[in-house]
Amino acid sequence: MAGRGLPLHLATLLTGLLECLCFAGVLFGWPSLVFVFKKEHYFEKLCEPDAGLIGNATEQADCKVQYERFSLIFTIASFMNNFMTFPSGYIFDRFKTTVARLIAIFFYTTATLIIAFTSAGSAVLLFLAMPLLSVGGILFLITNLQIGNLFGQHRSTIITLYNGAFDSSSAVFLIIKLLYEKGISLRASFIFLSVCSTWHVARTFLLMPRGHIPYPLPPNYSYGLCSGNGTTKEEKETAEQENRELQSKEFLSAKEETPGAGQQQEPRSFWSYAFSRRFAWHLVWLSVIQLWHYLFIGTLNFLLTNMAQGDKELVSSYTNAFAFTQFGVLVAPWNGMLMDRLKQKYQKEARKTGSSTSVVALCSMVPSLALTSLLSLGFVLCASVPILPLQYLTFILQVISRSFLYGSNAAFLTVAFPSEHFGKLFGLVMALSAVVSLLQFPIFILIKGPLQNYPFYGNVMLLPAILLTFIHPFLVYQECHARKDSPSAIV
């Protein structure tokens, strides 16, 4: 990168990291916010006290309908977080950075103002506010991921770091909870978040491009404070030429390879990849693990209340512990480093043996996919044991497996499919997995009803589904070996 552009690039990097860390993924701190909403008596009027219970017994029993409302709000918001990735990506591609960020700021500010001025009597507005907060946050993340393009060889590390910051932003709701316990009202906290939108607007026009940040970065590229016009036609041509040279060296997709001497592989359509076995099993892998994560987060307050037998101080303590462990920004790079190391190792082997570069790139994903499934299995097993101290381990496994899940998802789609289809396939897999995530609400109703508030049996039902995810890395491993013997094997 040009030396004179380094301060601007660093300012963009650090402010983008701060934006993702403080705003983008706050939705996943939902358990901390639920604790505050319950203190403010949100949805409490829906409760019908049992005449057979008196005094504290009624309070300790907690309200089934209240929990259902909170679970449904999180279900809808988390669904929108994933489902809207596809249209959000289209908006970003079609209308560029500035427009996408202004839409994000509008959604985010609207959401924080609604929450700020909502009370127990108008709690139903949370059904609108939380999805808006979710969509605004995912647009912040999408527009910031391109910042990795400014730093060349460190691009993957920065993208992984930003995803980790997105996960870690769930701690913002913990801070709001702690401030609430110190006497700072919920309204004051969310008005402050609303005022922060002026910072988002300033950053949009001063530290972000109007268009897209190209990769590889053209010489003398300028944006933001230096130029509002983005890349020139000449710069774009230079970038395209450099990109072609880069793609000839890196294994981006199987399509770019020659299956035999003088024999060029025919280009395949987007739908041929979308209906492939490889994509289908990846969708199953992502959907099942993500469903369990969303179910756990959405029902955590209920689960802790059951384990603590209604002790609110104990529930508050464990809710804080869960929020503290959500600093995924510290663990997110681990998966990226694992994949980079394996990629380098398989590259060396490919040079020695003359193996297909796309095949060894695919093989490098197998340990990451399998490890994610293994971490998720441990997460389910720990969460299924109704022992409160064990939940500290559950929280740790949850944040590590979640960081591995989304890092592996993006990396797999990058190496397993052609680069020209990455955006569409990424949006499609996130949208379809969002539909599957809607199952969390009926599962919660099942736990509250037929299972009589005993989540163990619900977890046992999900256990076979988690075990099913191990099929995906096994099939990828099998395919790698099949393609070594037959390079023309289809996916």
Side-chain angles (χ1 to χ4, degrees):
M1 74 184 74
R4 63 188 179 89
L6 181 59
L8 178 65
H9 293 179
L10 289 176
T12 302
L13 170 67
L14 295 176
T15 55
L17 188 63
L18 183 64
E19 187 170 79
C20 289
L21 189 61
C22 297
F23 302 96
V26 294
L27 170 69
F28 298 101
W30 180 246
S32 297
L33 202 58
V34 167
F35 188 88
V36 177
F37 286 150
K38 287 175 66 178
K39 288 280 189 179
E40 289 288 309
H41 311 294
Y42 282 44
F43 300 115
E44 199 171 88
K45 290 184 179 179
L46 299 174
C47 302
E48 298 180 1
D50 191 335
L53 296 173
I54 57 172
N56 292 333
T58 303
E59 183 180 353
Q60 185 175 334
D62 284 302
C63 175
K64 175 182 177 180
V65 180
Q66 186 184 38
Y67 276 122
E68 287 177 358
R69 288 293 186 274
F70 289 135
S71 178
L72 184 57
I73 289 170
F74 181 78
T75 298
I76 295 171
S78 58
F79 167 78
M80 294 296 287
N81 181 76
N82 279 10
F83 188 79
M84 290 302 292
T85 301
F86 195 30
S88 294
Y90 174 80
I91 290 171
F92 176 60
D93 287 343
R94 176 69 177 83
F95 300 104
K96 309 298 190 284
T97 302
T98 300
V99 173
R101 285 185 59 81
L102 290 177
I103 293 173
I105 293 167
F106 173 76
F107 283 169
Y108 206 91
T109 307
T110 302
T112 52
L113 285 174
I114 289 174
I115 298 172
F117 292 98
T118 297
S119 63
S122 56
V124 70
L125 289 175
L126 293 177
F127 283 96
L128 172 64
M130 298 312 297
L132 285 176
L133 195 72
S134 175
V135 176
I138 199 67
L139 270 169
F140 279 144
L141 176 64
I142 289 172
T143 57
N144 277 310
L145 286 178
Q146 62 179 326
I147 293 171
N149 295 349
L150 295 172
F151 296 89
Q153 61 181 348
H154 303 294
R155 178 173 177 249
S156 298
T157 303
I158 290 169
I159 290 173
T160 307
L161 189 65
Y162 272 42
N163 276 284
F166 177 86
D167 291 338
S168 299
S169 62
S170 59
V172 170
F173 283 169
L174 168 65
I175 295 172
I176 290 175
K177 173 182 177 290
L178 295 176
L179 290 174
Y180 178 84
E181 291 173 341
K182 296 295 183 181
I184 306 298
S185 69
L186 191 66
R187 176 169 297 181
S189 295
F190 276 92
I191 287 178
F192 174 78
L193 290 178
S194 302
V195 172
C196 287
S197 293
T198 56
W199 181 76
H200 297 311
V201 173
R203 185 171 179 272
T204 298
F205 290 104
L206 299 178
L207 293 174
M208 294 293 286
R210 291 186 182 179
H212 295 141
I213 300 175
Y215 181 79
L217 203 65
N220 303 318
Y221 174 72
S222 61
Y223 66 94
L225 288 169
C226 298
S227 171
N229 298 321
T231 55
T232 64
K233 181 179 178 181
E234 183 178 336
E235 287 171 339
K236 288 180 180 179
E237 290 175 354
T238 303
E240 288 173 3
Q241 182 179 353
E242 292 180 7
N243 194 41
R244 283 194 295 270
E245 292 174 358
L246 183 68
Q247 289 184 5
S248 67
K249 296 177 183 179
E250 294 189 4
F251 23 90
L252 294 178
S253 69
K255 185 178 84 67
E256 295 170 351
E257 295 190 349
T258 52
Q263 185 181 4
Q264 191 71 29
Q265 190 173 348
E266 290 295 324
R268 293 174 56 184
S269 68
F270 161 72
W271 291 110
S272 68
Y273 289 105
F275 288 106
S276 66
R277 186 187 72 170
R278 184 190 292 177
F279 182 81
W281 275 106
H282 185 68
L283 174 62
V284 171
W285 177 84
L286 174 67
S287 300
V288 169
I289 298 177
Q290 180 177 258
L291 171 62
W292 167 243
H293 278 273
Y294 282 179
L295 179 65
F296 179 77
I297 294 172
T299 60
L300 180 61
N301 187 269
F302 163 71
L303 296 175
L304 291 178
T305 301
N306 269 6
M307 289 186 189
Q309 298 181 343
D311 187 332
K312 293 186 177 181
E313 290 298 322
L314 203 54
V315 171
S316 177
S317 174
Y318 275 86
T319 300
N320 293 349
F322 170 76
F324 277 123
T325 60
Q326 294 305 293
F327 283 94
V329 69
L330 302 177
V331 299
W334 297 356
N335 194 26
M337 289 188 289
L338 171 66
M339 290 184 288
D340 285 342
R341 284 290 182 89
L342 289 171
K343 183 178 177 180
Q344 292 170 8
K345 176 185 175 182
Y346 285 121
Q347 273 181 319
K348 291 178 182 178
E349 290 181 3
R351 293 190 193 103
K352 291 179 182 178
T353 62
S355 302
S356 164
T357 52
S358 69
V359 171
V360 296
L362 195 61
C363 289
S364 70
M365 287 302 307
V366 173
S368 180
L369 295 171
L371 184 57
T372 304
S373 294
L374 187 62
L375 286 167
S376 300
L377 178 61
F379 170 34
V380 173
L381 292 174
C382 287
S384 301
V385 181
I387 300 175
L388 264 177
L390 185 62
Q391 301 316 303
Y392 290 121
L393 178 59
T394 302
F395 299 159
I396 293 171
L397 288 173
Q398 186 269 336
V399 70
I400 296 175
S401 62
R402 185 162 175 253
S403 296
F404 272 58
L405 175 66
Y406 292 111
S408 298
N409 172 48
F412 179 80
L413 292 174
T414 300
V415 304
F417 301 99
S419 56
E420 63 265 27
H421 296 312
F422 171 78
K424 296 186 288 292
L425 289 171
F426 181 78
L428 182 62
V429 77
M430 294 303 286
L432 293 176
S433 67
V435 175
V436 176
S437 72
L438 291 174
L439 291 173
Q440 62 183 292
F441 186 67
I443 292 174
F444 176 74
I445 296 299
L446 183 65
I447 293 171
K448 288 291 292 182
L451 298 182
Q452 299 179 343
N453 295 339
Y454 196 55
F456 175 77
Y457 295 113
N459 296 344
V460 168
M461 289 190 302
L462 280 175
L463 192 58
I466 294 293
L467 292 173
L468 192 69
T469 64
F470 284 93
I471 295 177
H472 180 41
F474 173 75
L475 290 178
V476 173
Y477 174 80
Q478 193 178 50
E479 183 184 336
C480 287
H481 284 268
R483 288 183 61 192
K484 284 180 181 178
D485 298 331
S486 177
S488 60
I490 60 172
V491 295

